């Protein structure tokens, strides 16, 4: 198996939607967070980070999830397609992706762009409420996945 890792477009997409916060804060999901959405081990007393350290934390977080992604999607995915899936998983968790219809459609036919775009757009709810921010993120992920059409 050829291992893929997130590329610049994927990192930039995640950073643009997560935003940078140097000091710990409680995210909408109720978790202590810092940097670009890093939550592992963060407390209210976590030392502030700069953007370089925050990107390092982001990359480390992504290294933990790319193995799961690589095992769940075809090797034939382009870098842009892989990056889009990484952003999705970073936002929602690999568990949500692994059990999703999105993963099943990608695994069955990674070029079924119409269905894949529709599957990305199903993930725009939080607590049964459609959120504009999630709609915007899923559209950006779907656009990246379908980049060279």
């Amino acid at each position: 198996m050829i291992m893929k890792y997130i590329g610049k477009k994927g990192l930039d997409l995640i950073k643009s939607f997560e935003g940078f916060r140097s000091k710990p804060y409680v995210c909408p999901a109720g978790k202590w967070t810092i940097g670009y959405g890093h939550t592992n081990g963060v407390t209210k007393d976590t030392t502030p980070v700069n953007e370089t350290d925050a990107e390092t934390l982001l990359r480390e977080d992504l290294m933990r999830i790319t193995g799961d992604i690589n095992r769940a999607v075809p090797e034939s995915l382009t870098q842009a397609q892989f990056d889009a899936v990484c952003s999705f998983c970073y936002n929602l968790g690999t568990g949500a992706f692994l059990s999703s219809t999105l993963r099943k459609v990608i695994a069955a036919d990674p070029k079924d762009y119409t269905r894949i775009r529709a599957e990305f757009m199903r993930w725009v709810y939080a607590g049964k409420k459609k959120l504009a921010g999630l709609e915007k993120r899923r559209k950006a992920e779907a656009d990246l996945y379908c980049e060279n059409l």
Side-chain angles (χ1 to χ4, degrees):
M1 172 168 60
I2 298 170
M3 290 289 287
K4 283 193 169 99
Y5 302 96
I6 194 157
K8 181 173 177 3
K9 287 181 181 180
L11 274 176
D12 290 347
L13 179 68
I14 292 170
K15 288 165 67 174
S16 72
F17 280 100
E18 294 293 336
F20 170 72
R21 302 274 292 269
S22 65
K23 296 178 182 173
Y25 66 98
V26 178
C27 74
K31 295 182 179 184
W32 282 100
T33 307
I34 199 164
Y36 296 108
H38 176 76
T39 59
N40 189 23
V42 178
T43 69
K44 67 178 179 170
D45 299 319
T46 297
T47 304
V49 296
N50 61 34
E51 290 185 53
T52 301
D53 293 337
E55 184 168 324
T56 298
L57 291 170
L58 172 60
R59 287 178 180 274
E60 288 171 358
D61 290 342
L62 286 164
M63 287 298 294
R64 285 193 268 289
I65 66 173
T66 54
D68 289 337
I69 297 169
N70 275 290
R71 286 186 291 279
V73 299
E75 287 183 20
S76 62
L77 289 191
T78 67
Q79 185 65 55
Q81 291 168 337
F82 189 82
D83 287 359
V85 172
C86 284
S87 176
F88 181 91
C89 290
Y90 190 75
N91 183 233
L92 294 165
T94 53
F97 175 69
L98 294 174
S99 64
S100 72
T101 306
L102 173 61
R103 185 204 59 80
K104 291 176 183 128
V105 173
I106 290 171
D109 183 0
K111 293 182 180 180
D112 189 350
Y113 300 114
T114 301
R115 280 196 67 205
I116 290 167
R117 183 176 291 281
E119 289 300 323
F120 269 108
M121 298 311 297
R122 291 180 61 200
W123 293 86
V124 297
Y125 296 90
K128 297 185 180 184
K129 183 178 179 185
K130 188 181 270 192
L131 298 181
L134 288 178
E135 284 184 293
K136 187 175 178 184
R137 184 171 186 154
R138 295 293 99 79
K139 182 180 181 320
E141 290 164 350
D143 287 349
L144 181 57
Y145 188 93
C146 301
E147 180 178 69
N148 291 316
L149 296 182

